[in-house]
């Protein structure tokens, strides 16, 4: 049986790779769940570019070989997702100041003279806040978690002049992150305890609460990182980096308290849009990317 697709069948499947097609993609392990191929390919098609964005499942032990091969294979750039963002730092020829300060790379540009590591997560977070009509400058922010995404969020908030308090299950990680980011941005960043009493006191003064932990993510959707005896103040915006599900238990509680709630899909879309702009130099069609991300999320 022939494995060749007829032209109409290929078009129906959305296959549009030719000898001239420029390649970009995402490396992760696993990577099958990623919404990025749907978002980026919709954007590339909308822009009429002969480019294609491919998922690249790369085992952690193969990361150096995979990265070393990007230029030889003609890739223009890649995104990185879990678990590669930290390990990529040491594999770049050059880093942007943001990637260096955050300590993670989520976007690689393959340039003639080497690989340039960016971090668009921080930018994506701020762009999405502003998209939602929220200016974080000079606001008091409470960040839950001190992992990889917290590094980008805290860097972003401190860089635009927010006053940030980090609380984390492992207190030492919150303290280390606060010290790193205070030094890296010159901003006001501190750590506090994750106890119920401390949270009650901190949240009363907070204008923005950001969950960067995976607690409440599918399939454990009945969990929340927040003690529900502690209400959110009505003036707060509660932002959950999780986007699957869109309405987490944390965001349901925020709404019940009369606070504003925002999920993480906008950040995902905006960090992708920032990457696409870096690679192609074109203004990314953010609404197209969002619609494609929403459609991919809705697929079983
Ligand atoms: P990570 O590096 O593994 O960090 C996870 C953090 O959550 C750590 O601080 C960890 O605390 C804390 N944590 C984990 N389980 C917990 C629990 N049961 N109770 C309390 N704290 C807990 O993960 P990450 O890469 O930052 O990702 C975190 C979440 O952000 C994921 O859901 C991811 O999908 C989402 N994310 C979204 C976007 C977006 O664009 N919307 C971007 C990046 C990430 P310890 O330090 O004590 O272990």
């Amino acid at each position: 049986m022939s494995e060749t697709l007829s032209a109409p069948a290929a078009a129906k499947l959305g296959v549009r790779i030719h000898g001239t097609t420029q390649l970009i993609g995402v490396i992760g392990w696993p990577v099958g769940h990623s919404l990025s191929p749907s978002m980026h390919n919709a954007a590339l098609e909308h822009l009429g570019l002969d480019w294609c964005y491919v998922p690249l499942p790369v085992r952690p032990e193969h990361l150096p070989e995979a990265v070393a091969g990007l230029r030889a294979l003609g890739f223009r750039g890649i995104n990185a997702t879990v678990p590669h963002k930290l390990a990529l730092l040491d594999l770049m020829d050059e880093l942007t100041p943001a990637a260096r300060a955050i300590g993670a790379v989520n976007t690689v540009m393959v340039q003639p003279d080497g690989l340039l590591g960016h971090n668009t997560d921080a930018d994506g977070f701020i762009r999405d806040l502003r998209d939602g009509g929220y200016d974080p400058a000079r606001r008091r922010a409470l960040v839950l978690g001190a992992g990889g995404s917290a590094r980008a969020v805290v860097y972003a908030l401190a860089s635009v002049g927010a006053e940030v308090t980090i609380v984390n299950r492992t207190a030492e990680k919150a303290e280390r992150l606060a010290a790193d980011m205070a030094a890296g941005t010159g901003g006001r960043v501190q750590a506090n305890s994750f106890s119920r009493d401390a949270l009650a006191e901190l949240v009363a003064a907070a204008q923005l609460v950001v969950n960067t932990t995976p607690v409440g993510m599918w399939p454990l959707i009945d969990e929340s990182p927040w003690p529900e005896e502690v209400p959110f103040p009505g003036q707060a915006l509660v932002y959950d980096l999780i986007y699957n599900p869109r309405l987490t238990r944390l965001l349901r509680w925020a709404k019940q308290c009369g606070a504003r709630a925002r999920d993480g899909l906008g950040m995902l879309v905006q960090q992708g849009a920032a990457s696409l702009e870096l690679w192609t130099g074109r203004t990314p069609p953010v609404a197209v990317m969002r619609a494609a991300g929403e459609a991919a999320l809705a697929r079983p």
Side-chain angles (χ1 to χ4, degrees):
M1 198 175 73
S2 164
E3 290 185 0
T4 311
L5 286 175
S6 67
K12 196 170 162 205
L13 282 173
V15 179
R16 42 180 197 77
I17 303 179
H18 319 280
T20 52
T21 305
Q22 303 291 306
L23 289 176
I24 46 181
V26 55
I27 55 170
W29 184 261
V31 80
H33 64 284
S34 173
L35 304 183
S36 294
S38 300
M39 288 190 328
H40 282 274
N41 285 318
L44 293 168
E45 201 166 340
H46 180 87
L47 291 169
L49 291 173
D50 181 16
W51 290 50
C52 188
Y53 186 103
V54 291
L56 300 164
V58 174
R59 289 179 181 277
E61 62 271 27
H62 293 154
L63 184 68
E65 289 165 74
V67 170
L70 287 174
R71 187 137 56 119
L73 290 169
F75 271 78
R76 300 291 294 265
I78 48 156
N79 282 136
T81 184
V82 177
H84 298 316
K85 291 185 190 181
L86 303 189
L88 270 183
L89 265 190
D90 294 334
L91 301 173
M92 297 295 104
D93 298 301
E94 206 187 324
L95 293 169
T96 62
R100 188 183 301 285
I102 293 165
V105 168
N106 81 326
T107 304
V108 177
M109 284 177 81
V110 182
Q111 301 180 314
D113 52 348
L115 303 176
L116 172 60
H118 284 261
N119 190 304
T120 64
D121 281 334
D123 204 22
F125 174 66
I126 295 295
R127 284 192 201 193
D128 186 52
L129 277 180
R130 291 189 173 142
D131 229 30
Y134 192 89
D135 181 1
R138 292 177 300 282
R139 306 288 186 120
R140 276 188 299 274
L142 177 59
V143 174
L144 315 180
S149 59
R151 295 189 71 84
V153 164
V154 173
Y155 173 85
L157 289 171
S159 298
V160 298
E163 189 182 325
V164 187
T165 303
I166 308 165
V167 293
N168 189 49
R169 178 177 62 179
T170 311
E172 308 82 68
K173 270 174 76 179
E175 281 154 21
R176 215 174 317 132
L177 178 58
D180 279 2
M181 292 301 155
T185 65
R188 287 175 297 171
V189 188
Q190 59 197 1
N192 208 312
S193 123
F194 209 157
S195 72
R196 194 163 308 169
D197 289 349
L199 288 179
E201 199 178 317
L202 289 166
V203 81
Q207 292 149 316
L208 174 65
V209 179
V210 188
N211 174 41
T212 74
T213 80
V215 183
M217 192 166 69
W218 190 87
L220 302 177
I221 60 173
D222 290 329
E223 296 187 357
S224 171
W226 191 260
E228 288 178 2
E229 320 78 89
V230 180
F232 289 113
Q235 88 278 1
L237 169 64
V238 181
Y239 192 111
D240 199 334
L241 258 62
I242 293 171
Y243 48 81
N244 187 15
R246 303 283 300 275
L247 187 61
T248 55
R249 181 168 178 156
L250 173 74
L251 293 189
R252 272 208 307 277
W253 177 239
K255 285 185 171 187
Q256 278 172 33
C257 296
R260 285 171 64 193
R262 196 162 178 88
D263 66 68
L265 186 64
M267 174 179 173
L268 182 80
V269 171
Q270 292 285 3
Q271 62 77 33
S275 301
L276 194 69
E277 192 167 356
L278 287 169
W279 295 319
T280 65
R282 299 281 296 272
T283 303
V286 174
V288 169
M289 295 179 80
R290 172 176 272 275
E294 281 171 353
L297 256 185
R299 279 199 286 273

